[in-house]
């Protein structure tokens, strides 16, 4: 969207006196909305998707990002070895910090690759889904995925890290 004025929508929300505002999106628009929310006097938490986990969001939102809680896919304080290896590779190639979407794309590639290998090279949907539903653990950047017929997410709650802005960078939220 090219919209930059969110005043009417925010005023309608604020009139309801919510305990928090949930904000879903990536980078620019959520940052502009966050600035507008704070400018209009809302001081309660803003709960955001991992799409805001970027330096660009923090630069645009600035001090208005205080009180934003986002669902991240990487522990900022304690990234696992697989996360660290991917981040080093990504940042070495692209010269910018790795963002959630990069990790998700990388993990999708790892999952598809494991499934194709696991099926002996079959690439039809039924063969791939049947193999994935066997629950073979697949180590990726966000977590170890273990799919089943009942769980097509394949991750445990430990894969989600709540993050908050602190001193201009994202960091793990305090427990």
């Amino acid at each position: 969207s090219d919209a930059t004025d969110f005043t009417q929508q925010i005023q309608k929300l604020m009139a309801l006196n919510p305990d928090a505002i949930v904000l879903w999106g990536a980078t620019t628009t959520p940052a502009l909305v966050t600035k507008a929310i704070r400018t209009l006097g809302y001081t309660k938490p803003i709960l955001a998707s991992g799409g805001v986990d970027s330096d660009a969001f923090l630069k645009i939102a600035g001090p208005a990002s205080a009180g934003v809680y986002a669902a991240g896919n990487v522990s900022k304080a304690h990234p696992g070895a697989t996360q660290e290896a991917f981040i080093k590779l990504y940042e070495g190639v692209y010269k910018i910090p790795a963002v959630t979407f990069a990790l998700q794309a990388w993990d999708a590639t790892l999952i598809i690759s494991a499934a194709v290998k696991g099926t002996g090279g079959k690439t039809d949907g039924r063969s791939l889904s049947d193999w994935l539903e066997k629950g073979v653990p697949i180590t990726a950047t966000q977590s170890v995925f273990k799919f089943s017929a009942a769980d097509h997410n394949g991750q445990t709650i430990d894969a989600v890290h709540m993050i908050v802005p602190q001193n201009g960078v994202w960091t793990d939220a305090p427990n």
Side-chain angles (χ1 to χ4, degrees):
S1 171
D2 293 330
T4 57
D5 183 4
F6 309 98
T7 305
Q8 285 185 325
Q9 296 93 328
I10 295 167
Q11 286 173 333
K12 286 181 184 179
L13 280 173
M14 288 176 58
L16 299 171
N17 193 28
D19 292 329
I21 292 177
V22 176
L23 184 58
W24 226 252
T27 311
T28 303
T29 301
L32 293 172
V33 172
T34 297
K35 284 179 79 169
I37 287 169
R38 297 302 189 216
T39 298
L40 291 171
Y42 187 82
T43 58
K44 296 177 185 175
I46 297 172
L47 311 176
S49 70
V52 303
D53 180 8
S54 71
D55 289 348
F57 173 88
L58 296 174
K59 286 177 185 169
I60 295 166
S65 66
V68 173
Y69 295 82
N73 295 96
V74 177
S75 170
K76 302 298 183 179
H78 307 289
T82 305
Q83 290 176 352
E84 284 182 336
F86 172 77
I87 290 167
K88 183 178 179 181
L89 174 65
Y90 184 92
E91 292 177 358
V93 170
Y94 297 106
K95 310 296 185 224
I96 59 172
V99 295
T100 296
F101 301 118
L103 277 80
Q104 291 168 341
W106 186 260
D107 286 357
T109 303
L110 293 174
I111 292 165
I112 292 167
S113 176
V116 170
K117 184 178 178 181
T119 63
K122 295 180 183 175
T123 58
D124 63 282
R126 173 57 56 203
S127 295
L128 295 172
S129 65
D130 286 350
W131 186 85
L132 288 168
E133 289 178 350
K134 289 180 181 179
V136 176
I138 303 168
T139 301
T141 62
Q142 299 173 76
S143 69
V144 175
F145 288 83
K146 191 173 180 183
F147 300 98
S148 70
D151 180 8
H152 286 183
N153 180 30
Q155 296 177 290
T156 64
I157 193 68
D158 296 338
V160 178
H161 303 276
M162 292 307 296
I163 56 175
V164 295
Q166 185 175 17
N167 300 322
V169 297
W170 288 104
T171 187
D172 289 345
N175 290 334

